[in-house]
Amino acid sequence: GRIGAAQLDRLVAETIKRFDLAQPDPAADPVDGYLSVDPRHVTLHDDDVHFAGTMRWEAELGIADSLDLDHVL
């Protein structure tokens, strides 16, 4: 017979659940989970605008990206 995409998705999800085929999430480990999370991010704090017309940025970048940004600025 024929099935649609939604039904196929449900069947695959049920198979993964029934036969315990899901991979464990390493970030869910309460002790060492932080080691599996990529810390790189850039956050623009646009809800905290200074009266002088400035905004605060917060970033943790890879070394190559940091050096490129430093060179550009």
Side-chain angles (χ1 to χ4, degrees), residues 20-33:
D20 198 24
L21 299 174
Q23 296 293 326
D25 181 13
D29 183 2
V31 177
D32 294 328

Side-chain angles (χ1 to χ4, degrees):
R2 299 181 62 174
I3 61 170
Q7 187 177 4
L8 180 60
D9 287 343
R10 286 191 297 272
L11 287 172
V12 170
E14 175 64 27
T15 303
I16 289 171
K17 183 177 176 183
R18 182 178 295 180
F19 296 104
D20 198 24
L21 299 174
Q23 296 293 326
D25 181 13
D29 183 2
V31 177
D32 294 328
Y34 70 95
L35 297 172
S36 301
V37 177
D38 188 1
R40 294 178 290 184
H41 76 281
V42 176
T43 304
L44 172 62
H45 296 278
D46 58 354
D47 57 339
D48 187 23
V49 178
H50 193 270
F51 68 89
T54 61
M55 285 191 225
R56 189 169 75 85
W57 286 75
E58 179 182 350
E60 185 160 348
L61 307 172
I63 292 174
D65 292 332
S66 296
L67 293 174
D68 287 345
L69 181 61
D70 182 51
H71 179 74
V72 168
L73 295 176

